[in-house]
Amino acid sequence: MDATVDGMRTGSALPISEAKGTGAVSDPIFVGLLWASGIFVLVLLGLIIAELFMGGLPALQHFGLEFVWSSAWNPVTENYGALVQIYGTLFSAVIAVVVALPLSFGIAFFLTEIAPPALKRPIGVAVQLLAAVPSIIFGMWGFFVIVPLMAAYVQPPLIDTFGQLPIIGLLFQGPPLGSGMFTAGLILAVMILPFITAMFVETLESVPPMLKESAYGVGGTTYEVYKNVSVPYGRTAMVGAVMLGLGRALGETMAVTFVIGNANRLSASLFAPGATIASTIANEFPEAPIGSLKLTSLLQLGFILFVISFIVLAVSRALVRSRMD
Amino acid sequence: MKLTTALGAIAVAGTMFAGVAQATDFNGAGASFPAPVYQAWGAKYKEKTGNALNYQSIGSGGGQNQIINRTVDFGASDAPVPAEKLEANKLLQFPTVIGAVVATFNLDGIKSGELKLTGPVLADIYMGKITKWDDKAIAELNPGVKLPSQAIVPVYRSDASGTSYIFTTYLSSVSADWKSKVGAATSVQWPAGSGAKGNEGIASNVKNLKGAIGYVEYIYASANNLVVTELKNKAGNFVAPTVDNFVEAAAAADWAGAKNFAASMIDTAGAKAWPIVSPTYVLLPKNPSNVEASREVMKFFSWAYGKDGAEIATGLHYIPLPASVVKQVEDAWKAEIKGPDGKPVL
């Protein structure tokens, strides 16, 4: 044993005291770069928030807090408010989630439990590919394919049947334009579907097989296992996934601008044209001169969207993480 | 022998290099309405002179922003800029070409020219006051035309645009109600209907939706054979949107009384004048920092006003400026655009 130690000493290896500190210069540089990268993100985000807030401040000073709940958007009289846009943003995003949620559940559970291996891959890849389609493509598809279909076959019968009912009828008012909140929600649903599905699959796959097998073992049906074991196990993470999808739907711009009908009017109807924060900014930005109230109002809208997205993201993070603790 | 070839090569290279160095490229940005003709002019002009125009069609507001910040050599705007703003930012405004806006619609069995409308009726449709195609107001104008009892869906530009500015200016001038409740601007608070992006958005929306009506630039309507209405003009005649009728409207405009060339061609008095006609403008700094480029911009438009340019413009269904106005514009260049040394640039 001694010999071995001696051998090492007399060999190429040097005693620790004599070893040169190889990382003495490079390591601090490397660590410094890592710090810089981390801080960079924080600074960038901080600057964006500050810039949006400062840019939108004149609008807030001019209109006061009323800006948030004023439904005006009139470039002629320079009277701006955010209510129509906030309402449209939330309404279309909620429609999207309501449509996408059951589909995501179905696809995710099919993929994890039912699908034969031969089918599992193609469907999984198809869902992932859906996430890779640029949003402008969804916009064009919505505008040229879905909007005429909605105007001709979907909206007229719905307006004729449900439009007469009290209360519910309010959701089915107006002429069948094809475009509008509902169509925007549908397009958004397709866009957020892959994100929600991917996270659902991950959650369902993390359910310990032992739990499921025990449930099947005591005679549970597929549906019962799904309802009583898999879903409860991953409930918080799934709510988090839905919130992430919601977050994505909130900020979507191009596809929505194509199909939402772009009207700065409040309406309870699913088929009425509306506007979202992102679509209004996309539409109005090119014609907003420097220093105008319009430009600062648009920046203020951007800031409001930032705040809404931030809240949704924060909630979703908290929910996804809570499962891991 | 070898030496001479080498010298020759150097000489050739030298002249080529000199040619490149002399080319003055110039940048413009703004209105999308005249973009096709600016681009066509730019291509031909480069062929002739080697100087290239780089025009970005980013919208009139964007064009105004960029020229105020002096990030381009000229800005382009469909709506005339207010005199105070021109003054404050030391800009000269001049018109380049004239265009028209037409109304397009989608009704079974009714073709171009078979539907007649007046300005006030059009305003009421866009106000949401006239909601059915067989409304009395429309039926009275169109005896003999079988109008369906169908909902009218007005379609407007969702993106702020010069076309909307021209259209709402017309509606404001023919309807007091529209003027007081909605007004004229590149984007307004539309009381009814739905919005679509760009000329192509309106055109396909109208095409897809029975009972829809929309407004587009004439160049777009003629290129795509859209179904268009006739309109009643100030003289009381129903006129079709044709180039001759646009020219008559442009000729009737009051150029002499217009400040900064902001002559109104909306609803002019000519017997055959189409009522929705408007010039589009270029904004040029009176104190250019890049004198070379500024001179090139003026040379470019001077050429574009000439025979070659007019031919390209008419080919694209734009209306060239009347010769008397061209003369005034060129005089204004000489008088107002000055270099840092105080001498006229042109």
Side-chain angles (χ1 to χ4, degrees):
Chain A
M1 205 169 159
D2 275 346
T4 333
V5 174
D6 273 359
M8 278 174 72
R9 284 227 174 113
T10 51
S12 59
L14 291 164
I16 288 170
S17 57
E18 284 171 38
K20 280 184 191 152
T22 46
V25 181
S26 62
D27 209 44
I29 294 177
F30 181 63
V31 172
L33 282 174
L34 294 185
W35 268 91
S37 317
I39 300 291
F40 172 74
V41 179
L42 272 185
V43 170
L44 192 67
L45 191 67
L47 283 178
I48 291 173
I49 297 175
E51 189 71 19
L52 270 179
F53 183 72
M54 293 307 288
L57 202 55
L60 209 58
Q61 282 166 342
H62 189 270
F63 297 109
L65 268 180
E66 207 191 313
F67 181 79
V68 180
W69 57 82
S70 156
S71 65
W73 188 270
N74 193 333
V76 181
T77 56
E78 298 242 291
N79 185 12
Y80 301 107
L83 184 66
V84 177
Q85 285 79 10
I86 295 176
Y87 169 77
T89 305
L90 295 176
F91 194 17
S92 59
V94 167
I95 296 173
V97 169
V98 168
V99 175
L101 192 57
L103 265 172
S104 293
F105 264 124
I107 299 171
F109 201 66
F110 177 75
L111 282 181
T112 47
E113 295 292 318
I114 315 287
L119 214 56
K120 206 169 166 173
R121 259 188 81 86
I123 294 180
V125 169
V127 170
Q128 280 171 5
L129 274 180
L130 216 51
V133 177
S135 70
I136 187 82
I137 302 294
F138 280 114
M140 304 285 269
W141 171 67
F143 186 74
F144 288 107
V145 181
I146 302 300
V147 167
L149 282 179
M150 296 288 287
Y153 301 109
V154 181
Q155 295 183 351
L158 285 174
I159 290 171
D160 290 344
T161 48
F162 294 111
Q164 326 298 338
L165 302 173
I167 304 173
I168 283 189
L170 286 177
L171 287 173
F172 301 94
Q173 293 298 315
L177 295 170
S179 52
M181 286 291 179
F182 184 61
T183 314
L186 277 188
I187 302 290
L188 282 175
V190 180
M191 296 181 74
I192 63 174
L193 185 73
F195 295 91
I196 301 185
T197 308
M199 289 194 66
F200 276 8
V201 168
E202 212 170 293
T203 312
L204 290 174
E205 274 175 348
S206 72
V207 177
M210 197 177 66
L211 287 183
K212 288 189 285 185
E213 278 158 16
S214 319
Y216 282 123
V218 296
T221 62
T222 313
Y223 175 70
E224 281 167 349
V225 172
Y226 183 48
K227 181 170 158 274
N228 299 323
V229 177
S230 299
V231 172
Y233 185 85
R235 186 179 291 142
T236 29
M238 285 176 159
V239 175
V242 171
M243 297 296 270
L244 272 183
L246 187 68
R248 188 178 147 80
L250 289 174
E252 181 45 50
T253 311
M254 245 18 252
V256 173
T257 309
F258 267 93
V259 296
I260 199 162
N262 304 298
N264 294 312
R265 298 187 290 270
L266 273 185
S267 171
S269 174
L270 284 170
F271 301 148
T276 68
I277 293 178
S279 75
T280 303
I281 295 176
N283 277 322
E284 304 276 358
F285 207 75
E287 292 291 334
I290 293 170
S292 66
L293 207 49
K294 189 173 176 183
L295 187 64
T296 60
S297 299
L298 287 173
L299 289 170
Q300 188 59 37
L301 271 186
F303 182 71
I304 292 172
L305 179 60
F306 204 101
V307 171
I308 297 174
S309 306
F310 188 78
I311 294 171
V312 170
L313 195 69
V315 172
S316 78
R317 295 282 301 201
L319 289 173
V320 171
R321 205 170 274 170
S322 68
R323 191 179 61 97
M324 295 167 183
D325 297 339
Chain B
M1 182 64 198
K2 257 189 185 166
L3 189 68
T4 38
T5 341
L7 279 176
I10 290 168
V12 168
T15 43
M16 275 169 71
F17 182 73
V20 170
Q22 269 168 9
T24 319
D25 293 349
F26 50 111
N27 303 307
S32 54
F33 165 61
V37 69
Y38 289 177
Q39 255 130 25
W41 280 344
K44 190 82 188 163
Y45 190 71
K46 182 161 194 234
E47 235 171 68
K48 281 176 69 84
T49 63
N51 302 335
L53 160 67
N54 167 28
Y55 184 75
Q56 296 161 24
S57 132
I58 55 171
S60 299
Q64 290 176 23
N65 287 350
Q66 292 222 358
I67 194 61
I68 286 169
N69 287 334
R70 302 291 198 264
T71 45
V72 287
D73 300 315
F74 72 89
S77 173
D78 286 331
V81 176
E84 317 84 73
K85 203 170 168 186
L86 290 173
E87 193 64 38
N89 295 295
K90 294 199 166 44
L91 293 172
L92 176 72
Q93 168 177 283
F94 58 88
T96 52
V97 280
I98 297 162
V101 174
V102 301
T104 171
F105 64 96
N106 178 352
L107 284 176
D108 273 334
I110 303 181
K111 292 197 280 291
S112 258
E114 291 182 352
L115 186 72
K116 294 181 172 67
L117 293 176
T118 65
V121 166
L122 201 55
D124 281 352
I125 289 175
Y126 271 90
M127 289 283 275
K129 282 191 200 159
I130 297 178
T131 55
K132 293 265 181 198
W133 278 106
D134 57 354
D135 191 284
K136 222 178 84 203
I138 303 176
E140 271 173 6
L141 299 172
N142 297 282
V145 178
K146 220 175 142 252
L147 291 161
S149 174
Q150 199 158 26
I152 305 181
V153 182
V155 184
Y156 50 83
R157 283 283 287 268
S158 64
D159 48 332
S161 76
T163 315
S164 291
Y165 170 81
I166 296 165
F167 187 67
T168 51
T169 305
Y170 169 66
L171 294 185
S172 293
S173 79
V174 292
S175 159
D177 212 18
W178 183 276
K179 193 174 184 179
S180 63
K181 289 196 183 130
V182 186
T186 52
S187 70
V188 299
Q189 191 157 24
W190 297 93
S194 83
K197 203 165 159 54
N199 282 304
E200 60 285 355
I202 292 194
S204 33
N205 226 332
V206 170
K207 216 160 104 192
N208 288 332
L209 201 59
K210 289 266 176 295
I213 183 165
Y215 59 90
V216 292
E217 285 148 20
Y218 174 71
I219 44 164
Y220 191 82
S222 68
N224 294 283
N225 285 319
L226 299 186
V227 183
V228 295
T229 67
E230 290 196 348
L231 275 178
K232 194 178 190 174
N233 64 12
K234 204 169 197 172
N237 303 324
F238 284 101
V239 287
T242 63
V243 170
D244 288 346
N245 296 351
F246 303 155
V247 170
E248 184 158 342
D254 176 22
W255 289 103
K259 232 181 146 192
N260 299 315
F261 297 104
S264 170
M265 295 176 188
I266 297 291
D267 211 18
T268 50
K272 278 173 30 195
W274 178 254
I276 324 178
V277 176
S278 179
T280 180
Y281 298 93
V282 158
L283 305 166
L284 201 56
K286 290 182 182 175
N287 56 346
S289 47
N290 185 348
V291 176
E292 281 299 313
S294 177
R295 184 179 296 133
E296 203 54 44
V297 170
M298 288 183 272
K299 278 188 187 162
F300 170 72
F301 281 110
S302 179
W303 168 83
Y305 288 143
K307 199 174 132 290
D308 291 359
E311 221 165 74
I312 294 173
T314 6
L316 292 167
H317 301 290
Y318 292 89
I319 306 140
L321 230 46
S324 59
V325 182
V326 170
K327 175 83 179 51
Q328 287 175 43
V329 170
E330 287 177 339
D331 288 346
W333 288 344
K334 281 175 194 137
E336 303 214 29
I337 311 278
K338 295 203 171 95
D341 52 358
K343 284 186 192 142
V345 171
L346 197 68

